[in-house]
Amino acid sequence: SRTGEKLFFVFDPVTRNVKSLPKIPSSDNSFQSAVFYKGSIYYQGDEIDLMTGIDGNIKRYRFDLTSQTWEKLSDLNQPDGMFNNFTSFEYKGKIYATGIY
């Protein structure tokens, strides 16, 4: 299955330590993005039907750093027929991402 465990880590550049966090509980099989915003981490992935190629069943989760838990957010239906990856990062308080359209 391409929907295997989604491991999640955080890296502290000061101490150079890597810490394993709870696995992302999403059933998607196509990672799209992970964004840090206002103290939480947001994950998004597309659950693509591997038999038909139909996409657009976007799974979304929010990771609460305080409780160390994932919260399921509402799914999105955004079919576009593409494998989309949105590599994102925050710089000077603004969130940036790249993608292929």
Side-chain angles (χ1 to χ4, degrees), residues 51-63:
M51 297 298 286
T52 65
I54 295 173
D55 73 330
N57 187 12
I58 310 297
K59 305 295 183 185
R60 302 182 311 145
Y61 290 83
R62 182 180 78 85
F63 185 74

Side-chain angles (χ1 to χ4, degrees), residues 38-77:
K38 292 188 178 182
S40 295
I41 298 169
Y42 293 85
Y43 173 85
Q44 180 170 301
D46 194 352
E47 187 173 53
I48 299 171
D49 185 318
L50 298 177
M51 297 298 286
T52 65
I54 295 173
D55 73 330
N57 187 12
I58 310 297
K59 305 295 183 185
R60 302 182 311 145
Y61 290 83
R62 182 180 78 85
F63 185 74
D64 183 294
L65 293 168
T66 303
S67 67
Q68 299 283 292
T69 58
W70 287 100
E71 171 192 359
K72 174 95 171 79
L73 304 176
S74 60
D75 292 347
L76 296 176
N77 184 11

Side-chain angles (χ1 to χ4, degrees), residues 5-60:
E5 294 181 325
K6 291 168 184 57
L7 304 177
F8 191 66
F9 300 89
V10 65
F11 173 70
D12 182 337
V14 174
T15 64
R16 304 188 85 155
N17 289 326
V18 176
K19 179 181 174 185
S20 178
L21 297 175
K23 296 171 187 148
I24 300 167
S26 181
S27 63
D28 73 272
N29 53 9
S30 179
F31 166 80
Q32 287 189 328
S33 67
V35 176
F36 181 78
Y37 180 69
K38 292 188 178 182
S40 295
I41 298 169
Y42 293 85
Y43 173 85
Q44 180 170 301
D46 194 352
E47 187 173 53
I48 299 171
D49 185 318
L50 298 177
M51 297 298 286
T52 65
I54 295 173
D55 73 330
N57 187 12
I58 310 297
K59 305 295 183 185
R60 302 182 311 145

